[in-house]
Amino acid sequence: MTSLASALNPVSGDVLLDIQHFYARQMFLLDENRVAEWLDTFAEDGVFASTALPEPLEGRAAIERLTRAGVDARRQRGAVHRHLLTGLHAERRPDGTIVARSYVLVVETLPEETSQVWASTVCQDVLLRHGDGWLVRRRHVSLDRKGHALPVLEGM
Amino acid sequence: MTSLASALNPVSGDVLLDIQHFYARQMFLLDENRVAEWLDTFAEDGVFASTALPEPLEGRAAIERLTRAGVDARRQRGAVHRHLLTGLHAERRPDGTIVARSYVLVVETLPEETSQVWASTVCQDVLLRHGDGWLVRRRHVSLDRKGHALPVLEGM
Amino acid sequence: MTSLASALNPVSGDVLLDIQHFYARQMFLLDENRVAEWLDTFAEDGVFASTALPEPLEGRAAIERLTRAGVDARRQRGAVHRHLLTGLHAERRPDGTIVARSYVLVVETLPEETSQVWASTVCQDVLLRHGDGWLVRRRHVSLDRKGHALPVLEGM
C-alpha cells in the first residue's frame, strides 16, 4: 500500500511558478470584488471549506452566494481586504492534480484607520489543470484564530 | 482594435523569477536606506506616482528628494520599514516592456515597540529591460488607506 | 583581491525556486511544531544566530533545546505563530554554497484575539546542497525590534 506522502511528487519549476501566478491573480480578483472572474477560478463543482464555516460550500452557486455577501458587508463598512499569499508549497498527486498549501494573511484597511491583520490562515487547495490555467477543485481554509469564528461571509 | 487585455502576453517563468529577484533587491535597498542604489533601479526619466502624492514625481532627481526626506524622517523617529512584496503578477506588452503588479505591505518597527502594519498598498510598475537587469520606467502606488493621505515622504 | 560582492554569482531560476520551496516547507514545519523534521533542515553542525540571542546556538542539539522551549512556551499561551517569508534573494558563493536573504514576518494568533505582527525580521542563511534538498549551515536572524530583546526561545 502506498502512503499518501510517497504518492506525492515534486512539481517542476515551471508548474510552481505558474501556480504562483494563478494565485496572484485569483487573490487580486477577490480583493477587487471581481466576483464573477474569481468564481471562474473554481471548478463548477468546486468545494470551499473553512474552519469558519459550519459546512463546506459545494459548487460555484453556493460559493458565489457567500462571496457576494462578504463583498457587500465589506462595502458597507468601507473595508478593503488584501489576501497576501506566502509560503506556497505544491506537490503533484498520481491523478495529475496538484495539492497546494500556502499561508494567506488577510489585511484589512478601514477608512481613516491604519491597516491591520484581519486573519492568519492556512489555505490548502486541490488544483486541476484547465487549458493553460488552473481551477480550484477543493479549498480548505484553516483560520489560526481558532477561538473566534470568523464571519461566514469572507471568501478566504 | 486591440483591447489592452489582449495586447498583454504572459511572461516566461525565467522572466517572472528574474522580476521577483529584482524586487527583492529593490525593496531591501530602500529599507536599508541605500538611496543611491535604490535610485539606480529607476530609469533616468522614471516616474513615481502614488495616491499619497499630489502629483507624480518625474525623473530620478525628484524621486531622490522625497526618498531622502523619507529616510531622514524615519531616522529621526527611529523607525525601520520593511516592504513585503507578495502577489506578483507580470505581463509583457507588445513593446517588450513588462507590466508588473504586486501587493506591498509596509511594516514599521519603532524602538521599544512591537512591529505593526504601516500601510497596505498595490504597486503597479512598467519595467524596462536594462542589460541583464530591469529599470522602473513608471511606478504607481495605490494606498488602501484611502481616507488618509500618507506622508509624501515614503518611497513606496 | 576579490571583493565579497564580486565573488557572488546569480543562481539559476531552478535553484531559486527550489530554495523558495525549501523555505515554504521549513517555515511550515516550525509553525506546526514539527521540531524533529525542522531540525533535519539544519546541518548537524549548523549554527543559529540571532540579535535576540546572547550568543549563537552551535549544532542541532543546542538549536533543538531552545526550539522546544519556544514550542512549549507558545503552547502554554495558546499561541500560533506563522513565519511569512518574502523578498527572497539568493546568490551562489565560489564554494557552491548559497547565501540567501529574506524578510520573515512572524504573525501571532492568540485564542479569542485577532492576529497581529509579532516580529519583523531579516533572515540570512548559508545553505548547503544536500541530496536533492538543502541544509542550513548558518542562519542569522536580525530583528527589526532593536530596542526589545525577544525571548531566546523563538526559532526565527
Side-chain angles (χ1 to χ4, degrees):
Chain A
M1 191 185 128
T2 312
S3 78
L4 179 64
S6 68
L8 294 174
N9 290 298
V11 297
S12 71
D14 277 351
V15 167
L16 183 60
L17 267 176
D18 204 37
I19 295 173
Q20 288 181 7
H21 224 202
F22 167 78
Y23 279 121
R25 179 171 176 271
Q26 195 199 34
M27 299 295 158
F28 186 72
L29 291 174
L30 179 60
D31 294 338
E32 296 293 308
N33 300 325
R34 290 160 62 177
V35 176
E37 291 164 277
W38 183 75
L39 283 167
D40 282 343
T41 64
F42 285 82
E44 271 295 346
D45 60 351
V47 176
F48 188 111
S50 164
T51 55
L53 292 172
E55 53 190 26
L57 306 174
E58 302 196 348
R60 276 192 192 166
I63 299 172
E64 179 171 12
R65 262 194 306 279
L66 283 221
T67 305
R68 292 202 185 277
V71 167
D72 289 347
R74 284 198 296 281
R75 282 203 172 120
Q76 282 176 21
R77 301 166 60 224
V80 175
H81 277 194
R82 296 289 170 200
H83 290 74
L84 310 184
L85 186 146
T86 61
L88 178 63
H89 197 267
E91 290 176 303
R92 186 180 296 280
R93 300 200 299 192
D95 65 1
T97 59
I98 302 286
V99 184
R101 181 187 67 229
S102 56
Y103 289 156
V104 178
L105 187 76
V106 189
V107 171
E108 176 171 280
T109 308
L110 290 169
E112 309 292 339
E113 296 188 28
T114 54
S115 303
Q116 57 185 346
V117 175
W118 193 76
S120 171
T121 75
V122 180
C123 178
Q124 289 177 284
D125 282 350
V126 176
L127 301 177
L128 295 174
R129 203 75 174 114
H130 178 71
D132 58 356
W134 302 89
L135 291 176
V136 178
R137 174 187 274 171
R138 182 174 181 88
R139 170 163 295 179
H140 187 277
V141 179
S142 303
L143 289 131
D144 287 337
R145 187 161 27 166
K146 291 192 180 72
H148 183 95
L150 280 179
V152 173
L153 315 168
E154 176 64 17
M156 173 63 47
Chain B
M1 191 184 128
T2 312
S3 77
L4 178 65
S6 68
L8 293 175
N9 291 297
V11 297
S12 70
D14 277 351
V15 168
L16 184 60
L17 267 177
D18 204 36
I19 295 173
Q20 287 180 8
H21 224 202
F22 167 78
Y23 279 121
R25 178 169 177 272
Q26 195 198 34
M27 299 295 158
F28 186 72
L29 291 174
L30 179 60
D31 295 338
E32 295 294 307
N33 300 326
R34 290 159 62 175
V35 176
E37 290 163 277
W38 183 75
L39 283 167
D40 282 343
T41 65
F42 285 82
E44 271 295 346
D45 60 351
V47 176
F48 188 110
S50 164
T51 57
L53 292 172
E55 52 190 27
L57 305 174
E58 303 196 347
R60 275 191 194 168
I63 299 171
E64 179 173 9
R65 263 194 306 280
L66 282 221
T67 304
R68 291 202 184 277
V71 167
D72 289 347
R74 285 197 296 281
R75 281 204 173 121
Q76 282 177 20
R77 301 166 60 225
V80 175
H81 276 195
R82 296 290 169 201
H83 289 75
L84 311 183
L85 187 147
T86 61
L88 178 64
H89 196 267
E91 290 176 303
R92 187 182 294 279
R93 300 199 300 190
D95 65 1
T97 60
I98 302 286
V99 183
R101 182 187 67 229
S102 56
Y103 289 155
V104 178
L105 187 77
V106 189
V107 172
E108 176 171 281
T109 307
L110 290 170
E112 308 292 340
E113 295 189 28
T114 54
S115 301
Q116 58 184 344
V117 175
W118 193 76
S120 170
T121 75
V122 180
C123 177
Q124 289 176 284
D125 281 350
V126 176
L127 302 176
L128 297 173
R129 203 73 174 118
H130 178 70
D132 59 356
W134 302 90
L135 291 176
V136 179
R137 174 188 274 172
R138 182 175 180 87
R139 170 163 294 178
H140 187 278
V141 179
S142 302
L143 288 132
D144 288 337
R145 185 160 30 165
K146 289 191 181 71
H148 183 97
L150 280 179
V152 173
L153 315 168
E154 177 62 18
M156 174 62 45
Chain C
M1 189 183 130
T2 313
S3 77
L4 179 64
S6 69
L8 293 174
N9 291 298
V11 297
S12 71
D14 278 351
V15 167
L16 183 60
L17 268 176
D18 204 37
I19 295 173
Q20 287 181 8
H21 225 202
F22 167 77
Y23 279 121
R25 178 170 177 272
Q26 194 199 34
M27 299 294 158
F28 186 72
L29 291 173
L30 179 60
D31 294 339
E32 295 295 308
N33 300 326
R34 290 160 62 176
V35 175
E37 290 164 277
W38 184 74
L39 283 167
D40 282 343
T41 64
F42 285 82
E44 271 295 346
D45 60 351
V47 176
F48 188 110
S50 163
T51 56
L53 291 172
E55 53 190 25
L57 306 173
E58 302 197 347
R60 275 191 193 167
I63 298 172
E64 179 172 10
R65 263 194 307 279
L66 282 221
T67 304
R68 292 203 183 277
V71 167
D72 289 346
R74 286 197 296 281
R75 281 203 173 120
Q76 281 176 21
R77 301 166 60 225
V80 175
H81 277 195
R82 297 289 170 200
H83 290 75
L84 311 183
L85 186 146
T86 61
L88 178 63
H89 196 267
E91 289 175 304
R92 187 181 294 281
R93 300 199 299 190
D95 65 1
T97 60
I98 303 286
V99 184
R101 182 187 67 230
S102 56
Y103 290 157
V104 178
L105 187 77
V106 189
V107 172
E108 176 171 282
T109 307
L110 290 170
E112 308 293 338
E113 295 189 29
T114 54
S115 302
Q116 57 185 347
V117 176
W118 194 76
S120 171
T121 75
V122 180
C123 178
Q124 288 177 284
D125 282 350
V126 176
L127 301 177
L128 297 174
R129 204 72 173 118
H130 178 71
D132 58 357
W134 301 89
L135 291 176
V136 178
R137 173 187 276 172
R138 182 175 180 85
R139 171 163 294 178
H140 186 278
V141 179
S142 302
L143 289 132
D144 287 337
R145 187 162 27 166
K146 290 191 179 72
H148 183 94
L150 281 178
V152 174
L153 315 168
E154 175 64 18
M156 174 60 47

